[in-house]
Amino acid sequence: MQPLVPTYQSLLSLFAAALLAFTLPAQHGEGATGTTPPPAGHPPIEGAVATPTAPGAVAGVPATSSTQDPASKKEPEKKKKRPEKAGIPVEDLLVQSLCARCHIRDERNHMTRISYIRKSPEGWAQSIKRMGRLHGLQLTPTTAKMLVRSLSNSHGLSRSEAERGLYESERRVHWSEEHHDADFKRACAQCHPLGRALLQYRDKEEWQLLRATHVAMFPLSSRQLGGGPPRDTSSRRGGFSGSFPGASSSGNASSSPSSNRRGGGNNSTTSSNQSSRRSSGGSVGDRVLDQLSKDQPLFTPEWEAWTQNKREVPLQGKWTVHGHETGRGDIIGTLEIQRTDADEYALTWNLNWSDGSSAVRTGKGVLYAGYSWRGRTQGKDDVNWREVLLLDDQWQQFKGRVFTGNYDEIGFDVTLDRDLGRTRIVTLGNASLPVPCTDHELDVYGEGFDADVKVSDFFIGKGLTVTGAERKTDRHVVLRVSAAPGTKLGTRTLAYGPRPGSATITLYDTVDYVRVRPLQGLSRNGGAKHPRQLERFEAIAVHRGKDGKPYTKDDVDLFQVRGKWALAEFAVRDEDDDLQYVGTIDATTGVFTPNVDGPNPKRKWQGNNVGDVFVTFETSLDIPVRPPEKKKTDDDKDDDEGDAENKDGDKVAAEAPEQAPKVAARETKKFLARSHLLVTVPIYVRWQVLDWEDR
């Protein structure tokens, strides 16, 4: 007979099963009586009822009436009923029918796991995909979308909760998580953005189960999160001996480092585990999960307030769109939303960019949980654009991102303002004014501008004068604005009629320097076996701000400038040759296209086409000359003090200052700027891709 030889897969399955058996608590429901006696040496289980054993009786077998102690003939004491666990009922029959095979439903319509978790639409989509990959759940694209929609509505997030990790749903390439807790980043950010954790809310037990699932499916995560089988149960693991990294996450921190090792074990695992602890006790994972259970519990005041006032939000109508796309410039346009079903809409986008391009796109969108918008549109280019927007509490404004690309890297930030049926200003274009200036053209975008719009309808503040107004359409007016010499720099609000408005202009005296955005670029090579990730750059003119010092936090971005783009070597070693292999940048648009994925036989050691380079920018601008700052002398101070009255009480006439010119002198000045670009390898496995979303 052929002996059975354990394979890698079978050992991994046994390991995962053993790990889950130690970390997952028993399901409380039908069949879970809680009366099974604990193993020898194990502390009594809370809520379990011990069965008395008479002399000669077998442990675990009820004694007969002839052998029972007389005292046991009394009525048995009633078991203490465990308090019911608070959860969110699952009312949708679709969820009940599709999920009941694995998730037990009780008389309150609470389903295990599901009733104790809330997630974003993307979070529920990932869960459903995992159910198909690991547990054989088979769904049509239509059914999968319905399931995501149902769970997102009943077990979703409130607006403020969704906003915390919105950058994850928006698929942003450039974002920072530096402000988060160091333990939080250590436990979670080594594998995925923290936004994925921020976009889910659970009860305390579910946060622990999340760790158990991670350690069972990805054993190396125990180094970050702790968890795993208890150290004193090595005999139950069959062929697995030795300690598990981070296994002592609860009460076994004081156990001997060598007590669980057999044969040729070493101290590297134990020292790594001990390094993840601090003198305060407990692992990093323990502290992070405890904090998450407090900061992101299942029930929050925001969620409960929304559920009590839950209704379909009316979105139909026209919305003004304004935003910015890196490289292409500012965006202005409209979005028409037409209701087709409950929380479902047909869309028509009309967009115009400041570089002269335009687009008309149509598609459809869904509003999840009353705040979270997800849409998809197509245009003449047959490219899918995805939309992730968040509605404000007043239902008057959307903010978010529209994106496409193989890595969702091509996109723009947008703000949508609902048409209110009255004349008002929404946003401005060409809104940086030099001081002094004459007849600067200011684009005003809004709704309902009258055909006989007048200069007197607008007010812009002291030192500024509206000298002309031309109505282009009922949504666009061009104003001519002049700024007097000596007008205070900073921001001003443009008002229309009796309404103060919120659109602002920026007053500056000259351009101090130019900077490139993004300062740190990221690209991935590809084209042979994997897709490319592009990167786009733009240059912005900057004013030094109130402190009078450039390169400080109060510096003000003025407007986008055009110029010449190039690449330069970022030397990190001798004979660095990254510039030859990483890719090319368009000299006019600033779009970087990486090279093909390697290995490259022309490169030393057949290396991949990756590396670091500088992105350089050069331009010449015709800008105002900053007027020299007048320094006060001692005589000036004396004049200021005596300007009010002389000794005889007579007014002293101040000498009239010399009149400054209405238009400042100008000069042509050359500006240079640069940023850093990292070109790296493709992402070989992209778990977040959901094929059925595109169907």
Side-chain angles (χ1 to χ4, degrees), residues 167 171-176 409 518-522 535-536:
Y167 65 91
R171 296 289 189 260
R172 292 187 180 273
V173 177
H174 302 287
W175 40 265
S176 174
E409 75 274 24
L519 184 60
Q520 300 286 342
L522 175 67
E535 182 60 287
R536 300 195 294 181

Side-chain angles (χ1 to χ4, degrees), residues 106 112 140 162 228 245 282 320 326 348 372 420 526 603 611 613 670-671 695:
D106 62 17
T112 54
T140 64
T320 299
T326 300
T348 302
S372 298
L420 301 179
R603 200 170 189 185
V613 293
K670 185 177 181 179
F671 292 91
R695 302 181 190 175

Side-chain angles (χ1 to χ4, degrees), residues 566-571 578-579 582 585 612-616 674-675:
L567 299 177
E569 188 65 72
F570 184 94
D578 294 343
L579 183 61
V582 295
I585 191 169
D612 297 72
V613 293
F614 281 121
V615 174
T616 64
R674 70 180 184 182
S675 69

Side-chain angles (χ1 to χ4, degrees), residues 35 81 228 252 256 343 357 398 446 471 585:
T35 59
K81 189 176 181 180
N252 300 315
S256 172
D343 292 325
S357 58
F398 276 111
R471 179 181 182 269
I585 191 169

Side-chain angles (χ1 to χ4, degrees), residues 367-552:
L367 188 68
Y368 295 101
Y371 295 107
S372 298
W373 173 273
R374 303 295 184 268
R376 189 181 298 271
T377 60
Q378 299 80 32
K380 292 182 179 180
D381 54 4
D382 294 327
V383 175
N384 277 333
W385 284 8
R386 297 172 60 187
E387 307 151 15
V388 175
L389 308 173
L390 197 61
L391 185 65
D392 71 348
D393 289 325
Q394 305 301 317
W395 303 348
Q396 303 303 311
Q397 189 179 78
F398 276 111
K399 283 188 177 182
R401 183 171 183 256
V402 180
F403 54 92
T404 184
N406 291 310
Y407 292 88
D408 304 325
E409 75 274 24
I410 302 173
F412 50 88
D413 296 331
V414 291
T415 300
L416 283 62
D417 288 275
R418 185 200 294 270
D419 277 12
L420 301 179
R422 57 178 172 81
T423 304
R424 64 169 182 149
I425 298 172
V426 174
T427 188
L428 302 176
N430 197 24
S432 295
L433 277 68
V435 175
C437 68
T438 301
D439 291 340
H440 175 92
E441 291 191 353
L442 176 67
D443 292 298
V444 181
Y445 300 101
E447 60 170 308
F449 293 123
D450 297 330
D452 59 345
V453 62
K454 301 181 293 295
V455 169
S456 58
D457 294 333
F458 298 90
F459 178 78
I460 203 168
K462 185 178 180 180
L464 301 176
T465 305
V466 179
T467 59
E470 180 184 0
R471 179 181 182 269
K472 298 290 187 179
T473 67
D474 63 335
R475 309 182 74 86
H476 182 199
V477 172
V478 177
L479 299 182
R480 290 187 295 277
V481 181
S482 297
T487 301
K488 186 177 180 180
L489 307 183
T491 58
R492 300 287 181 85
T493 301
L494 178 64
Y496 182 86
R499 303 176 184 88
S502 58
T504 60
I505 63 172
T506 301
L507 302 178
Y508 69 99
D509 51 6
T510 190
V511 174
D512 289 286
Y513 65 96
V514 169
R515 63 175 160 204
V516 175
R517 296 191 306 205
L519 184 60
Q520 300 286 342
L522 175 67
S523 180
R524 298 181 184 275
N525 58 29
K529 294 185 178 180
H530 302 277
R532 287 183 170 96
Q533 177 176 333
L534 307 179
E535 182 60 287
R536 300 195 294 181
F537 296 89
E538 67 180 0
I540 304 296
V542 184
H543 183 260
R544 63 186 183 180
K546 291 183 178 180
D547 63 359
K549 299 177 182 179
Y551 311 108
T552 56

